[in-house]
Every structure is written in structure tokens, then in C-alpha cells.
Amino acid sequence: MTKEHTKCLIIGSGPAGYTAAIYAARADLKPMMYAGLQPGGQLMETTEVENFPGFADGIDGPAMMAQFKAQAERFDTDIRDGLATEVFLNESPKRVIIEDKAEITADTIIISTGASAKWLGLPSEERLKSGGVSACAVCDGFFYKGEEVVVVGAGDSACEEASYLAKLCTKVTMLVRKDHFRASKAMVHRVEKIKNIEILYNTDTLEVLGDMGVTGVKAKNNKTGEDIEVPCTGFFVAIGHKPNTDIFKDQLDMDDQGYLINEPGSAKTNIPGVYVSGDAADKIYKQAITAAGTGCMAALDAERYLANLED
Ligand code: NDP
């Protein structure tokens, strides 16, 4: 196992990690980044991104991440493949193990490990991921303007996605597997009041229909056994996200779902010198632009921490 030291270690390579890298590198922190399981993050699974400012004509997710990477490399970020598998954040310096390959000690660590959308696990869902299946209404809803869509899920996210889509689409059908929502009462009241949202309770999703693009959803009422087919062109899965924070358990403060807790108005965690950015600490906004913003905050916080150490 190789051993190295860096002033600033960035774990994860989505918009948060790359933005942190650009800021840290330009501040001469010579950041080292481990790109993780999915270099580029969730945007590598996205087609067109139309809501990231600066790309007036839109850009494909992977092409956008290539730009982020090139910009981080332009300022000499040391970007490496590899997954952080163990961390020792209370040691001085902090220590991170990269699989069985490397042991990195660091003065500051920026966590940008992101979150992963949960999927139903249907083969048809996987097959149609670039043809109408999405896990983000704010990202993809626009493509279904004036069309009919389906949202699966019964939490706050599903209600928010359905309300958002109802403004763009002629009809939104929500498939709820139980006879009630998990979402807060206020959110449920909101969707119940929207005229073009239809809620189907006790409904299990069986298959997403369509060859090249989504044409409908096959479902079943789990009380009556009735088969249901809902025509739609967009299929939105909103059954939750899982933050990629397992390795930080028992060291960093996190909520009951594993989202890291930052000090409000900063990227600081409960351990000085350790910062969090992006979806690993965000269950509300989950946007590339918000991740990038907090990546910038994390790098600025790390820079100030190092400057104070040197004083
Ligand atoms: P949740 O974990 O709260 O809800 C997930 C929902 O998905 C549940 O209703 C669950 O159903 C359903 N589900 C899970 N698996 C399946 C499946 N295989 N088939 C059908 N349905 C399924 O996730 P959210 O993303 O909604 O919210 C995460 C957290 O973020 C929550 O704490 C929420 O309050 C918060 N949040 C807050 C917002 C706000 O305040 N504006 C906005 C968005 C999120 P079941 O109920 O049957 O288990």
C-alpha cells in the first residue's frame, strides 16, 4: 500500500467535488481527488442538462462533467481513480484508505460523495433510462411539457415532483403502493388539491412500457388484483435517495437517513478540517448547481482552516 500526504483531499467527483477542486487548486492547495465508484457522479447517467447556467444551448450530462474535469485539471488537481473505503477523521493528520491500494493522510478533507437515486429495479425501467425514465422532475420535467406522466412514490419528494410536473404536464398519475402517503400532511393536501394529479393508492408498478421511449406503465391494484395500464411518455421514480456516507458513520454527525450535517451557512462538519458538499448533505435541493455552490463553500472553508493553522 502506497502512503502519501496532501493538504486537501477531495472524495468524490460530481459537480461538488470538481468545483471544490477548481477553487482549492486555484488557491494553491494542490488538491488530490479520488473519483469514486462513478467518476463524474449522477450526471453521467443524465442526457441533456438545460438548467445549469452558462450552457445556453444545454449540454449532455457526461459532456458537462468532462468540462468540469478539464477545468479542475487545468489548475493541476491530481485526479485519481479509486474509492475511499475507510476513514480515520479524528486522527491528526486525518487518514483515508483507498481500497487496498493507498493510504492518504490529509490536513483537510472535502467530502463530495453524493447520493444515489433509488430505483424500482425493473428491467424495463433500466432499459428506458434514456428514453423517458427519470429520477428528477426538475431536471427532466420540461421534456414532457403538454404530455402525461407517472410518478411513483409517496414521500415528500414524490409529492414535490408531482406538483412540479403538474404545472408542465396535462396529467400526472401518482402510483402509491400503500393506502396512504408517507409525506407530510401539508404536502399530501397540496397534491390532493391539484386538479390534474390523479392518485392511485394500493398500486404496485409492474412494468414500464415502450420500445425506444416510454408509452405507458403497467400496474396492479394490490387490494383488488385489478390490472391497470396508465398511458404516459415520462416515468418519474421518486422513492428516495441514499447518501453515500456509510464510511463516515460514527465519526461525522448525520441524520437518521445518513445525510451528513453541516454547520448552517458553511460546509463545516463536526470535525474541524472536514467539510461536506453536494448531495451527501442535501436531501432537499439535489441539483448540480447547488452541489457546485457548496463545493465552492467547502474549498473556501478548507483554505481558511489551513490559513489559520499557518498563522
Ligand atoms: P422517503 O424515504 O421519505 O419516501 C420514499 C417513498 O417511496 C415512500 O413513500 C415509499 O413507500 C416509496 N417507495 C419506496 N420503495 C418503493 C417501491 N419499490 N415502490 C413504490 N414505492 C416505493 O423519500 P423522499 O425522497 O420522499 O424523502 C426523503 C427525505 O427528504 C424525507 O425526510 C423527506 O421529508 C425529505 N424531503 C423534504 C422535502 C421538503 O421538505 N420540501 C422535499 C423532499 C424530501 P412506503 O411509504 O410505502 O414505504
Side-chain angles (χ1 to χ4, degrees):
M1 201 181 292
T2 58
K3 290 188 182 188
E4 283 172 274
H5 182 80
T6 179
K7 271 194 218 172
C8 179
L9 175 66
I10 299 170
I11 309 176
S13 59
Y18 281 132
T19 305
I22 293 162
Y23 274 78
R26 293 187 77 252
D28 212 23
L29 303 189
K30 300 187 177 18
M32 178 190 289
M33 169 190 277
Y34 273 93
L37 259 192
Q38 186 182 32
Q42 290 184 82
L43 279 173
M44 299 304 283
E45 286 181 17
T46 312
T47 47
E48 205 173 357
V49 180
E50 290 188 327
N51 56 6
F52 200 95
F55 296 96
D57 299 321
I59 182 168
D60 273 350
M64 185 164 110
M65 293 325 293
Q67 289 280 335
F68 270 74
K69 182 170 187 237
Q71 196 172 352
E73 280 173 336
R74 183 176 147 210
F75 302 108
D76 293 333
T77 305
D78 179 359
I79 301 174
R80 302 160 173 211
D81 286 331
L83 183 69
T85 45
E86 209 176 351
V87 296
F88 302 91
L89 302 178
N90 287 305
E91 293 181 3
S92 184
K94 305 160 206 325
R95 197 157 57 91
V96 175
I97 308 295
I98 309 295
E99 298 158 82
D100 50 4
K101 291 184 207 148
E103 181 181 274
I104 310 294
T105 53
D107 300 322
T108 59
I109 295 180
I110 294 175
I111 297 166
S112 44
T113 47
S116 309
K118 291 183 192 163
W119 297 96
L120 296 170
L122 303 170
S124 52
E125 171 192 61
E126 183 60 34
R127 186 169 51 79
L128 288 162
K129 268 190 189 160
S130 53
V133 170
S134 168
C136 177
V138 175
C139 318
D140 299 326
F142 184 78
F143 301 119
Y144 306 97
K145 214 171 172 176
E147 299 178 16
E148 298 190 4
V149 297
V150 163
V151 174
V152 180
D156 283 327
S157 296
C159 291
E160 275 208 336
E161 305 254 304
S163 317
Y164 181 87
L165 289 165
K167 293 196 195 106
L168 300 168
C169 304
T170 48
K171 184 175 177 192
V172 179
T173 306
M174 294 189 77
L175 306 183
V176 174
R177 66 179 173 182
K178 293 186 183 147
D179 64 358
H180 60 272
F181 277 93
R182 186 188 295 187
S184 60
K185 282 205 169 65
M187 286 291 238
V188 177
H189 284 150
R190 192 158 121 197
V191 292
E192 280 174 342
K193 275 198 278 179
I194 300 175
K195 289 208 166 58
N196 61 337
I197 295 182
E198 183 181 8
I199 303 163
L200 301 181
Y201 290 100
N202 300 309
T203 302
D204 292 331
T205 307
L206 302 182
E207 196 185 342
V208 190
L209 304 170
D211 292 329
M212 301 302 284
V214 172
T215 56
V217 175
K218 209 166 127 185
K220 194 181 206 63
N221 184 306
N222 54 36
K223 280 266 156 69
T224 63
E226 182 198 352
D227 286 322
I228 304 160
E229 214 172 289
V230 186
C232 63
T233 49
F235 177 74
F236 290 85
V237 181
I239 61 171
H241 283 74
K242 186 184 179 320
N244 304 317
T245 57
D246 287 353
I247 56 167
F248 308 112
K249 242 176 219 156
D250 301 326
Q251 298 182 56
L252 292 181
D253 290 345
M254 48 179 81
D255 70 11
D256 55 359
Q257 291 157 49
Y259 286 94
L260 296 178
I261 296 171
N262 58 298
E263 197 177 285
S266 82
K268 293 175 187 166
T269 67
N270 54 304
I271 298 184
V274 179
Y275 305 94
V276 61
S277 57
D279 289 7
D282 174 16
K283 62 185 175 198
I284 309 281
Y285 301 103
K286 298 178 271 195
Q287 300 301 300
I289 188 72
T290 48
T294 54
C296 160
M297 288 164 70
L300 294 177
D301 284 347
E303 188 194 344
R304 282 184 199 135
Y305 172 85
L306 289 168
N308 283 338
L309 283 187
E310 282 159 19
D311 280 349

